[in-house]
Amino acid sequence: MTDQRKNQRFDLRLPIEILGAKPQPGETRNMSSCGVLFTSPSPVPVGEPIEYLVTLPKAAGTRAAVRLKCIGIVVRSGEVGAYSAATLERYEFVRAKA
């Protein structure tokens, strides 16, 4: 079976926070320029808009972490603790407070 994805995926294990009425933590498994695969304690409904924050590794010499605030749509979701996938439609860099 060949992988027919258009964008290269990068295996990245980074902290992710799913935003909403009840924010929940998680971890990315891989990312591309158009989406993310992640785990979370609760399933995320497929087809729903999603807003999430990915915390990037702190660069040497910087005082604060940088987070990537993303907006997309959930395209796949499993049971509790399973993988979910979401698109990455828009993003902005957010500097955390030092």
Side-chain angles (χ1 to χ4, degrees):
M1 185 163 120
T2 44
D3 190 352
Q4 297 182 10
R5 292 186 176 108
K6 294 178 183 175
N7 301 92
Q8 181 179 2
R9 292 188 175 263
F10 299 94
D11 289 331
L12 296 170
R13 304 290 196 270
L14 299 171
I16 188 171
E17 181 181 356
I18 312 306
L19 303 175
K22 292 184 179 180
Q24 58 180 314
E27 183 179 59
T28 66
R29 292 299 183 203
N30 66 50
M31 293 183 73
S32 75
S33 61
C34 64
V36 63
L37 180 70
F38 63 93
T39 59
S40 62
S42 301
V44 185
V46 173
E48 291 292 317
I50 186 172
E51 190 171 341
Y52 53 96
L53 287 167
V54 178
T55 302
L56 302 176
K58 188 176 171 187
T62 60
R63 294 190 305 169
V66 174
R67 300 176 92 187
L68 191 62
K69 184 177 182 181
C70 306
I71 296 173
I73 304 287
V74 179
V75 293
R76 186 171 69 239
S77 187
E79 297 177 16
V80 174
Y83 298 112
S84 296
T87 62
L88 195 162
E89 306 290 332
R90 290 188 323 215
Y91 69 90
E92 66 179 299
F93 288 96
V94 179
R95 189 165 299 276
K97 294 180 177 142

